[in-house]
Amino acid sequence: MYIDGKLTTSPQQKQNQGFTDNLPMHDARELVGDGTQARIALDGQIYTLRITRQGKLILTK
């Protein structure tokens, strides 16, 4: 479910999906926008997140 453009999951949905913690959840398709790749920065390093044609995620440095 999206609220204000953000993916949200109810506590019941999280439990049904096996999520029992309060970790942030991000929709990969929102991260890449209209494309299939996004850059993610961590401690001065740049990583590339890519969605494959098969719908899988690849994170590379």
Side-chain angles (χ1 to χ4, degrees):
M1 171 187 344
Y2 287 90
I3 298 176
D4 295 328
K6 295 190 177 197
L7 178 66
T8 61
T9 306
S10 72
Q12 183 64 38
Q13 287 172 314
K14 283 184 182 181
Q15 192 170 31
N16 290 342
Q17 296 172 0
F19 298 121
T20 58
D21 52 36
N22 290 323
L23 292 175
M25 182 177 287
H26 305 280
D27 186 319
R29 298 213 182 269
E30 285 187 8
L31 292 175
V32 301
D34 292 332
T36 58
Q37 295 186 29
R39 298 208 193 286
I40 300 171
L42 175 66
D43 298 333
Q45 299 290 318
I46 304 296
Y47 296 82
T48 300
L49 177 71
R50 181 168 64 93
I51 301 175
T52 68
R53 282 183 236 154
Q54 293 80 28
K56 300 186 183 209
L57 293 176
I58 298 175
L59 183 64
T60 55
K61 192 171 184 182

